[in-house]
Amino acid sequence: MTEINAVTTLTRDGDVAIITLNSPPVNALSANVRNGLFEGFKAAGASDAKAIVLICEGRTFIAGADISEFGAPGKPSASLFDVQEMMENSPKPVIAAIHGTALGGGLEVALCAHYRVAVPSARLGLPEVALGLLPGAGGTQRLPRVVGVETALEMMTSGRHVPAPEAFKLGLVDELAEEGKLKEAALAFANKCVAENRPLVKISENNTKLEAAKGHPEIFANFRKANARKFRGFDAPEANIKCIEAAVNSATFEEGLKAERTLFGGLMSGAQSAAQRYYFFAERQANKIPGIADDTPVRPINKVGIIGAGTMGGGIAMNFANVGIEVVIVEQQQAPLDKGLATIRSNYERSRTAKPEETAKRIGLITGSLSMEEAFKDVDLVIEAVFERMDVKKDIFAKLDAICKPGAILATNTSGLNIDEIASVTKRPQDVIGLHFFSPANVMKLLEIVRADHTADDVIQTSMKLAKKIGKIAALVGVCPGFVGNRILGQRQREAQKLVMEGAMPWDVDRVLYDFGFPMGPFAMSDLAGLDIGWVKEKSHGETIRDVLCEADRRGQKTGAGYYDYDENRVAKPSPFTEKVIHDFIVKSGANPRKISDEEILERCIFPMINEGVKILEEGKAIRASDVDVVWVNGYGWPVYRGGPMFYGDLVGGPAVVLKKMQEFEAKMGDQFKPAPLLEKLVAEGKTFADLKG
Ligand code: CAA
């Protein structure tokens, strides 16, 4: 065995040289890895081996460029292009042996091998789009040459990780190896290449699939049109599409590469990719809890109890059944229980994400009961998901304390009540935690995990790991009204309402926030959710805009009208009726409606959110600024290409700019805009929001 460098070795098996990479955690293409590959291929090329296999140790093949190196000053090292050239031009067959994931630069390396062998569990993809980028090492030019233009468009703009069996059908993988026997299969394949004198396939030289798309610009036009909504606001999908267009329309591979280079440079130096790369690490950072070691033992969770078969309880139940965990839902009456279970069944049947037998298995894992005593004796975790009333929750937790086995985790899905108060009725506050799911709970990615005063470390650790298992993105937050997400939302909602009372129309506010990148504005959202949530007809006397709209039976989309008017296809139009209602309210209040600029709308909605984020961090209710961003990107539709409210705060100039704005607003409009004391401290110390790292 020859040690090429700290992460690369060269060994020999008969006629085959084996280059092995071992650079945990994911064999990302750091300078060390690139150097190792370059020197490894050089040494293998100079040896008398007749073929070369590239294989990786650890959990995965190369998972891409080393994202943490982006933007950092480069160490002198071999470039990815040097490595690729060495592989593609090797006079001996090069075989990439793939397990885990071959992603981004990792797949781009594999595409420069002459052949690829993979185990069925492997996944291959070019996910750069999710980082606001495009595959910048020839991937945009090679992928369509292998899989064709349409598939390349889909793969590169979605960033999908394609399972190896599908990749095999697409021609991206040449042979599927038996699971666990990758090395043997790759060696056998290499020996076959030698014995049969197989050609050294260079993807860059095969234009057949591109020819098929030449003279058909409608392929691209149709693709853009079909995905316009999905790509709205993002720069990277369009740049990826342009690269594939360049592959089709360029006279040579090199010309296409040049276009790729230029477009890659544009994205890499842009604000969107900076935000999306930041966010990649933010999500992973959120899993790290200071003071709780990653190897803290977790409590086994094999059976979950849920109280409440409503939309929330049912959605939560599906998360656990989806990963094979048994769930029992308790309701007080048979009818709502039956209704809840029926809704779960129909959700499963409609979603068709799993095969029918898998769907049946999941449905079978969820049962119902009318008795907490019966159902919860042996559960490892209970999640209470009933309506938001402290007395009801306390009553439930006192009962749970009496029923559940020692060590069971007692969780509440409250979206803002004081969990310490809830825990106080039990004799085991260390087992009580908040698990705040977002609606619809089987779809929304965010989980706010709420640590109460006495919550035990292993309960937090178990909850964090469980969140990952059920596919959620978790952020640990502290007890305060609204926690992190809703507390910040409160600021935006307040300003949106006030802006309307000053002369902006709901559709003006919505348009500004939509253009900023939110999926919809607050008024469109109210119409979707129903204006009558929490509205009581008998008590309504036209005191608010909402009262008047609801009294006129404008209760949102479901009644064909709310803030907006809706046509039969539920397309919204500004409503003269709403406009008059608002106007009457303003006049009644003695104010004069004024023209409000888009800039003011945006600043009034966004800056108080950032200020509230700072207050939350100051009070220790979130660990770090990036956790606030994780909550807002995942739970509230903050556009990921703007990183999150705290990242955005830095982007627009940092604490000094936010402070100045808040002071300006405070002087004009009072206390609600009072800057957080920590904001002033950050400015005094010349720090950024990103410095709030916990
Ligand atoms: N660069 C640097 N670090 C990376 C990384 C990368 N490409 N991919 C993962 N990591 C790190 C993570 O930050 C994490 O670090 P910590 O343990 O310190 O938090 C660790 O590796 C493990 O990652 P995950 O927690 O995400 O592990 P997982 O098993 O859930 O997922 C994965 C593994 C599917 C590879 C996932 O990490 C992933 O999707 N990585 C990014 C892949 C990617 O986008 N590649 C393209 C890079 S850009 C590129 O290649 C440009 C180009 O054209 C040259």
Side-chain angles (χ1 to χ4, degrees), residues 337-373:
L337 182 60
D338 290 345
K339 189 166 167 232
L341 292 172
T343 305
I344 292 172
R345 254 194 312 277
S346 82
N347 279 346
Y348 270 125
E349 278 153 12
R350 252 186 310 129
S351 80
R352 297 212 191 118
T353 43
K355 294 197 179 112
E357 60 274 21
E358 176 58 28
T359 301
K361 199 173 121 204
R362 293 177 188 183
I363 293 172
L365 280 169
I366 304 176
T367 54
S369 169
L370 297 178
S371 157
M372 288 213 278
E373 288 77 5

Side-chain angles (χ1 to χ4, degrees), residues 63 96 121 126 184 201 225 284 302-303 332 336 398 512 515 537:
S121 59
L126 294 176
E184 294 87 325
V201 180
K225 202 166 151 217
R284 284 154 181 82
N302 298 315
K303 186 171 176 187
Q332 283 180 317
V512 168
D515 288 347
K537 193 173 178 182

